[in-house]
Amino acid sequence: MRVAVVTESFLPQVNGVTNSVLRVCEQMRRHGAQVLVVAPGPGPGEYAGATVVRSPSVALPRYAGFRVGRPWPGLGRVLREFAPDVVHLASPAALGASAARVARRLDVPVVAVHQTDLVGFAARYGLPGVGRMVWAGLRPVYAGAAATLVPSRPVADELRARGVPRVRLWARGVDSAAFSPARRDPALRARLAPGGEVVVGYVGRLAAEKELHLLAGLDRVPGVQLVLVGDGPQRERLEWALPGAVFAGFRGGAERGAWTASLDVFVHPGSSETFCQAAQEALASGVPVVAPAAGGPLDVVTAGRTGLFFTPGSAADLRAQVERLVAEPDTRAWMARAARASVRGRTWDSLGDQLLGHYTDALAGRAAAPAAPERVA
């Protein structure tokens, strides 16, 4: 099978879209597929056996270092020469919409993956009109796709309510060796919490859409050490707002697993997550999660068993739920065990098999049949 993956984000940018595309490349190599990646901006020209073609890009306003693709006349030539069996659109926006039009002309089926709340993202950066325009542009992309894959049931419900047809669930896998309680680092914890404090932390980009301002005050809770692992445009502002927090900067690979597993409570404030892979990585690491009762975390976290939910947007309720876990070490301990158990079976190999099934359905035309059973990850 020949798969063209057109993505709005790729290395060296590190985010949820990039990480998912990396796993797609790896899984398709496992299945013996030939993969072409089209991605915006400068960066590596190969990954996991896939050739990466770079498209023109522009800098995203108010987000230093983040580049987005723009419509590119050369895209048609690139896809025509590669002759894909299926076109995979990773979180499509301008570049993805162009690819969908090219695929239609080439009579190649499209599988779209919706995993970014572009409307919410634009609103966080003071560009609500842009988000609405993008969504208007996405309607025909999703309408023409053989399937639109979403990572969680709340997102599936949202897209169906917007009239998107042929919505299918395709979740995310987790590397249970890289993210494991065995990665907990006593020396790191001794540096972070020399007085035996409960380590409460966030791992991810320090960006406006993550609503990290809701962490205000957690750095002053008695017996708590707040830790933020990651980097982004909000870092300077957050360092000023959270003087008692530890800012670890970006940590990748094995370091990310060690920092995640060394937390006692993982907190994710953002209410516009379509899945929240960082929360799933925390669960795999045996760390209970506090997250908003909205979007993807509703599928990832089991309230009262693997973590707690707070009212979206409420700093007071977030703090209350964190304080509850801080005050109840026994609850944290059994939640930690349940957290690890909850992700068993969520492997990227199984998700790769499901994705190949979606491609096969698209090629056979079965995904468009009204009576076709829905694949659930």
Side-chain angles (χ1 to χ4, degrees), residues 266 279 282-283 287-290 297 300-309 325 334-343 346:
F266 178 89
L283 297 179
V287 180
V289 172
V290 175
V300 176
V301 180
T302 302
R305 179 171 174 78
T306 63
L308 299 173
F309 289 127
L325 289 182
W334 65 254
M335 276 190 175
R337 292 190 293 273
R340 175 67 175 178
S342 73
V343 301
R346 297 186 191 177

Side-chain angles (χ1 to χ4, degrees), residues 2-4 34-36 77-86:
R2 298 173 68 83
V3 181
Q34 290 183 270
V35 179
L36 172 75
R77 174 186 54 79
V78 168
L79 292 182
R80 191 165 50 250
E81 291 177 355
F82 180 68
D85 296 305
V86 64

Side-chain angles (χ1 to χ4, degrees), residues 62-352:
R62 304 185 189 182
Y63 201 144
F66 195 98
R67 303 191 67 82
V68 296
R70 59 178 177 80
W72 176 37
L75 181 60
R77 174 186 54 79
V78 168
L79 292 182
R80 191 165 50 250
E81 291 177 355
F82 180 68
D85 296 305
V86 64
V87 173
H88 173 127
L89 304 180
S91 198
L95 188 61
S98 295
R101 290 191 291 271
V102 172
R104 192 177 306 117
R105 291 197 300 270
L106 297 176
D107 195 27
V108 176
V110 166
V111 172
V113 180
H114 178 89
Q115 70 179 83
T116 304
D117 179 5
L118 292 172
V119 175
F121 187 94
R124 294 287 172 195
Y125 286 90
L127 303 167
V130 172
R132 288 191 293 271
M133 287 168 50
V134 169
W135 178 253
L138 285 178
R139 288 183 186 277
V141 173
Y142 292 152
T148 295
L149 309 184
V150 296
S152 62
R153 287 171 293 180
V155 178
D157 292 341
E158 178 191 351
L159 262 60
R160 289 180 180 128
R162 289 178 177 266
V164 175
R166 298 177 294 280
V167 175
R168 303 288 183 264
L169 285 172
W170 181 59
R172 298 294 178 269
V174 64
D175 185 336
S176 58
F179 295 94
S180 164
R183 299 283 182 177
R184 196 171 176 90
D185 185 341
L188 174 59
R189 286 186 53 80
R191 296 200 306 273
L192 293 173
E197 294 87 352
V198 176
V199 181
V200 176
Y202 164 86
V203 181
R205 286 182 295 120
L206 308 186
E209 71 272 15
K210 303 302 182 182
E211 299 180 68
L212 296 168
H213 64 280
L214 298 177
L215 299 177
L218 284 184
D219 61 326
R220 297 189 296 274
V221 174
V224 166
Q225 177 58 63
L226 180 64
V227 177
L228 285 84
V229 181
D231 211 342
Q234 292 271 304
R235 178 165 179 170
E236 186 175 346
R237 179 178 298 181
L238 289 166
E239 287 177 334
W240 178 85
L242 302 168
V246 170
F247 286 80
F250 175 78
R251 304 284 171 159
E255 278 193 307
R256 181 181 174 101
W259 280 82
T260 300
S262 297
L263 304 175
D264 297 307
V265 177
F266 178 89
V267 60
H268 197 292
S271 57
S272 59
E273 295 293 310
T274 59
F275 185 73
C276 200
Q277 178 70 350
Q280 181 168 250
E281 291 169 352
L283 297 179
S285 302
V287 180
V289 172
V290 175
L298 291 171
D299 265 12
V300 176
V301 180
T302 302
R305 179 171 174 78
T306 63
L308 299 173
F309 289 127
F310 69 91
T311 303
S314 172
D317 195 30
L318 186 158
R319 176 169 174 160
Q321 301 307 320
V322 169
E323 288 180 328
R324 173 183 166 186
L325 289 182
V326 168
E328 299 177 9
D330 290 343
T331 300
R332 293 202 310 274
W334 65 254
M335 276 190 175
R337 292 190 293 273
R340 175 67 175 178
S342 73
V343 301
R344 287 198 184 109
R346 297 186 191 177
T347 67
W348 275 111
D349 281 358
S350 66
L351 271 295

